[in-house]
Amino acid sequence: MTDDTDNTASEQESVGRQTSRMNSPQPGPRAGTAPPAPGVIRAAVKDVKRLREIVTVLSRHGFHQFIRTGRLEKILGQRLAPPPETEPIDPSDRKGLARRFRNALEDLGPTFIKLGQILSTRRDLLPQVYISELTRLQDRVPAMPFSDVQSQIEQGLGAPLDEIFASFEHEPLATASIAQVHEAWTKD
């Protein structure tokens, strides 16, 4: 036969330890940890800035009503209003919607153009009207402004174009999602 008083005392002691642990202050998620490195904060701010750029472009192309249904307004801390010249999207105009989507990808730059090119091959993911529109990104990519090309080349080579090249054509021979080709002749 066991002594019930010993079990009861032992159980009470165990419950007492658990209760004192629950009532003692627990460290918060950041207690005792070092603050984030400046590079991490800088990267996060840069990410939020890029997200704002993306949302602005999407809004400019009429997708603000879709953005509002998500949580981006809360994340960005700003109310998303369409630019005054933006025509509202007619959901029944699938061709117009697909065109706006392609235009938005073009405006967002090389990475998004490449995404559109990949999506244009995925008939299992998108309706044909989108496939047809995104296929235009395969061979009809708009050229980057020459001022952007010039600044990138000069930054990469460390000198102005006219110091390196005898001639440099402003109009590209070909464009692609991540590059374009210009005809140029070096000075030597």
Side-chain angles (χ1 to χ4, degrees), residues 48-179:
V48 169
K49 284 181 182 177
R50 180 60 176 152
L51 182 58
R52 280 193 174 133
E53 290 171 16
I54 292 167
V55 166
T56 299
V57 168
L58 292 174
S59 182
R60 187 171 60 240
H61 287 281
F63 293 102
H64 54 278
Q65 63 197 47
F66 298 107
I67 294 166
R68 281 190 182 147
T69 61
R71 304 181 133 250
L72 285 178
E73 285 185 327
K74 281 187 178 182
I75 292 169
L76 295 174
Q78 69 185 56
R79 180 108 171 98
L80 299 172
E85 69 279 359
T86 303
E87 294 178 36
I89 289 180
D90 176 5
S92 65
D93 179 15
R94 297 183 73 169
K95 188 171 184 171
L97 193 57
R99 180 185 38 78
R100 286 181 188 228
F101 182 60
R102 176 187 49 83
N103 288 337
L105 294 178
E106 287 176 349
D107 286 357
L108 288 168
T111 303
F112 286 86
I113 291 171
K114 184 56 75 180
L115 174 64
Q117 290 172 337
I118 292 167
L119 286 173
S120 75
T121 67
R122 297 300 309 267
R123 297 180 193 288
D124 59 324
L125 295 178
L126 295 174
Q128 183 56 43
V129 68
Y130 282 86
I131 299 297
S132 298
E133 196 63 43
L134 294 175
T135 299
R136 298 182 70 189
L137 296 174
Q138 298 289 355
D139 57 4
R140 294 185 215 140
V141 177
M144 280 182 16
F146 182 74
S147 60
D148 293 350
V149 172
Q150 182 176 1
S151 67
Q152 287 184 16
I153 293 172
E154 289 176 347
Q155 183 181 8
L157 297 177
L161 288 181
D162 58 0
E163 287 183 15
I164 300 169
F165 298 98
S167 175
F168 199 104
E169 293 295 323
H170 288 219
E171 290 299 316
L173 296 172
T175 61
S177 60
I178 58 172

